[in-house]
Amino acid sequence: MLKVQRPLTAAEGGPDELALLKPGALLIGLLAPYSNREQIEAYAAKGVIAFAMELLPRISRAQSMDVLSSQANLAGYKAVLDGAAEFGRAFPMMMTAAGTVAPAKVLVMGAGVAGLQAIATARRLGAVVSATDVRLAAKEQVESLGAKFVMVEDEESKQAETAGGYAKEMSDAYKQKQAALIRETLKKQDIAICTALIPGRKAPVLIAEDMVKEMRPGSVIVDLAVEQGGNCPLSKPGEVVTTENGVRVVGHLNVPSRLAVDSSALYAKNLLNFLGLMIDKKDKALKLDWTDEIIKGTALTRDGAVVHPQFAAKS
């Protein structure tokens, strides 16, 4: 069974999709293992071989299967368009006989795949773009897209990336220094695009309530992390809210689905490439190589047991 998201259960008001699977069947999709530990046990009890695509190793051979990157790329693009739609002014500088329109100022928070696409999109629309990330390694990527990098650079920031390429959780002292810098930067911005996520953790708060109060009336915050708690505590899942000082906070759910044709096509190609590892090219039959680091790294359950090391001991 190929799924976009985890199988539905009867308790959620739909058909019990897990009950449709036979023992030994393959289940492949975005299974949200960090927030669905009980369902992982259900896969094992059912005898299902489950693969969570969000656990795909960050290696070059797996790039064509990287569903998180393909979907985040679209989310970053759409976030800027959503921000522009809520913003009451133009993006590019316009010099006319009637006067000059100043360009919009955009701050992108988090320079992963979604953030980098947001930077590129905002730049194409003519905005003056700044970006921030806890990983110092992102500085070169941000500046190569024509944006200004905003970050407290110290010894801790030099070690703020995991071996898998994700951002690490930073110390409270560093967070305070970075928050002070971001506070001053936000006062001058028109749009903030929040993209920061940590796998298996609640989204870090990047824009606190008191920071929002100091932003200009008419400013916009687009929170792509709203489904994991939000980078701004004022964002509400599935809603666009306006604060007392006139800041609009955008919290659309499942942002890639707002570009459904493209997100579906890219996701389908990711899964097709992943399935290619499991099909014997000579016999055209299913053949899993459990020594392959991609298959081993994404497997949640096998032979009636939870086998992924991050979940086996905790389940």
Side-chain angles (χ1 to χ4, degrees):
M1 178 185 284
L2 301 179
K3 288 282 293 176
V4 174
Q5 296 179 332
R6 63 179 178 80
L8 295 174
T9 64
E12 294 173 300
D16 190 343
E17 294 179 320
L18 189 58
L20 300 176
L21 292 173
K22 299 178 181 179
L26 267 62
L27 170 64
I28 303 171
L30 290 165
L31 304 183
Y34 294 105
S35 56
N36 292 284
R37 299 289 177 90
E38 291 183 3
Q39 201 162 26
I40 297 175
E41 285 286 357
Y43 302 151
K46 183 72 176 178
V48 169
I49 304 172
F51 294 91
M53 293 301 292
E54 51 268 83
L55 300 177
L56 196 78
R58 282 283 178 95
I59 57 177
S60 58
R61 193 164 61 88
Q63 287 181 352
S64 65
M65 313 164 200
D66 191 347
V67 297
L68 293 183
S69 291
S70 69
Q71 301 306 297
N73 189 56
L74 291 172
Y77 166 78
K78 186 60 175 173
V80 176
L81 299 188
D82 287 338
E86 299 295 338
F87 187 49
R89 291 166 36 209
F91 255 59
M93 175 181 283
M94 298 182 183
M95 301 181 71
T96 74
T100 300
V101 176
K105 294 181 179 179
V106 176
L107 175 65
V108 178
M109 307 186 75
V113 175
L116 292 174
Q117 181 56 248
I119 292 168
T121 302
R123 287 278 295 160
R124 285 194 292 267
L125 290 176
V128 175
V129 185
S130 301
T132 181
D133 195 284
V134 298
R135 299 167 297 130
L136 189 58
K139 180 178 182 179
E140 184 177 344
Q141 294 172 303
V142 166
E143 292 178 344
S144 71
L145 292 172
K148 178 184 177 183
F149 193 62
V150 180
M151 180 187 186
V152 173
E153 298 185 24
D154 59 13
E155 286 302 314
E156 184 174 358
S157 67
K158 295 177 182 178
Q159 302 173 9
E161 186 174 351
T162 67
Y166 295 100
K168 284 184 179 180
E169 183 80 11
M170 305 299 284
S171 69
D172 290 340
Y174 182 88
K175 288 179 182 177
Q176 290 175 4
K177 290 187 290 184
Q178 181 71 359
L181 178 60
I182 295 303
R183 179 189 298 275
E184 292 305 312
T185 304
L186 276 171
K187 293 177 183 179
K188 307 168 188 176
Q189 304 301 309
D190 297 307
I191 297 175
I193 309 290
C194 300
T195 72
L197 289 171
I198 300 171
R201 303 282 295 276
K202 183 180 178 182
V205 174
L206 302 182
I207 304 179
E209 290 187 42
D210 58 335
M211 294 182 182
V212 178
K213 293 177 181 178
E214 297 177 354
M215 293 178 69
R216 299 170 178 174
S219 299
V220 179
I221 298 171
V222 182
D223 193 346
L224 287 180
V226 68
E227 293 177 72
Q228 284 186 225
N231 294 149
C232 176
L234 295 178
S235 62
K236 294 184 179 180
E239 297 183 31
V240 178
V241 299
T242 303
T243 66
E244 291 183 359
N245 63 318
V247 176
R248 295 181 69 77
V249 186
V250 181
H252 294 309
L253 298 174
N254 194 6
V255 174
S257 71
R258 294 166 62 77
L259 297 166
V261 172
D262 294 318
S263 61
S264 297
L266 294 179
Y267 184 72
K269 187 64 174 180
N270 290 146
L271 293 189
L272 179 63
N273 292 332
F274 184 71
L275 282 172
L277 295 176
M278 304 178 172
I279 306 295
D280 187 283
K281 295 181 180 178
K282 183 178 179 181
D283 299 332
K284 306 298 182 183
L286 193 65
K287 185 177 181 180
L288 277 68
D289 178 5
W290 290 104
T291 64
D292 187 299
E293 60 183 319
I294 296 176
I295 291 178
K296 187 166 58 175
T298 53
L300 276 177
T301 59
R302 175 191 177 195
D303 297 331
V306 179
V307 296
H308 196 283
Q310 290 191 46
F311 305 98
K314 301 175 182 179
S315 56

